[in-house]
Amino acid sequence: MEENMIVSEEVNEELLPILTQMSELETQLKEYKKLQEKYDNFKEKVFNAMVEKDIKKFVFNDTQFTVVSATPEKTEIKMEFDVKEFKEQHEELYKKYTKPVTKITNGKASYLRITLPKDKEEE
């Protein structure tokens, strides 16, 4: 342990198993990050090869590879009511026709779905 690091025996005994596990997890995370980088590089190579050869989809070892085409950015012009200006010019009407409304929007976070081929033994 470093000289300037002071840990009481009591805390050390409590934390030692947790710190040991954390250290092991950190090592595994470093390995995972290396593996993820390698995976991403291969994925890019496959993608580039498929695009170059104009291949949209193929299956290899029961794993499907599909090039999903990009979608263009959309620009849409729509009319919006200028609440601020209306409130400034017609304060009484604004007060008369506004009411509190609770709006709940359920969001859905992005996620990655990985579907591995079924083992022949499982079938």
Side-chain angles (χ1 to χ4, degrees):
M1 205 179 305
E2 294 180 22
E3 289 179 26
N4 62 350
M5 190 170 171
I6 301 170
V7 179
S8 73
E9 292 296 323
E10 195 174 298
V11 173
N12 191 26
E13 287 178 23
E14 284 180 31
L15 289 178
L16 188 60
I18 296 169
L19 292 173
T20 301
Q21 288 179 337
M22 284 297 297
S23 178
E24 291 170 3
L25 288 171
E26 284 293 330
T27 301
Q28 290 175 1
L29 280 171
K30 286 179 187 175
E31 291 301 315
Y32 169 78
K33 288 177 183 176
K34 289 178 187 175
L35 185 61
Q36 182 68 46
E37 187 175 317
K38 187 175 180 179
Y39 172 82
D40 291 341
N41 287 335
F42 276 104
K43 187 175 177 182
E44 184 178 359
K45 288 177 184 179
V46 170
F47 174 81
N48 289 337
M50 288 177 69
V51 169
E52 183 180 313
K53 297 184 184 321
D54 198 29
I55 299 169
K56 302 292 183 211
K57 183 188 294 189
F58 75 92
V59 177
F60 178 76
N61 286 343
D62 295 329
T63 302
Q64 182 172 295
F65 297 84
T66 306
V67 173
V68 179
S69 299
T71 55
E73 183 178 302
K74 292 181 181 178
T75 302
E76 182 180 344
I77 298 173
K78 62 181 186 177
M79 300 299 291
E80 287 188 359
F81 187 75
D82 189 343
V83 175
K84 183 179 177 184
E85 189 171 331
F86 182 80
K87 183 179 177 182
E88 288 173 2
Q89 293 179 12
H90 307 285
E91 190 172 344
E92 290 305 313
L93 281 174
Y94 176 80
K95 287 178 183 178
K96 182 178 177 180
Y97 290 103
T98 55
K99 60 183 179 180
V101 176
T102 302
K103 182 178 179 182
I104 299 173
T105 304
N106 293 329
K108 187 173 182 181
S110 298
Y111 66 95
L112 174 64
R113 179 183 296 163
I114 300 173
T115 308
L116 299 175
K118 290 184 179 180
D119 288 336
K120 299 195 188 256
E121 296 171 3
E122 290 178 6
E123 295 174 359

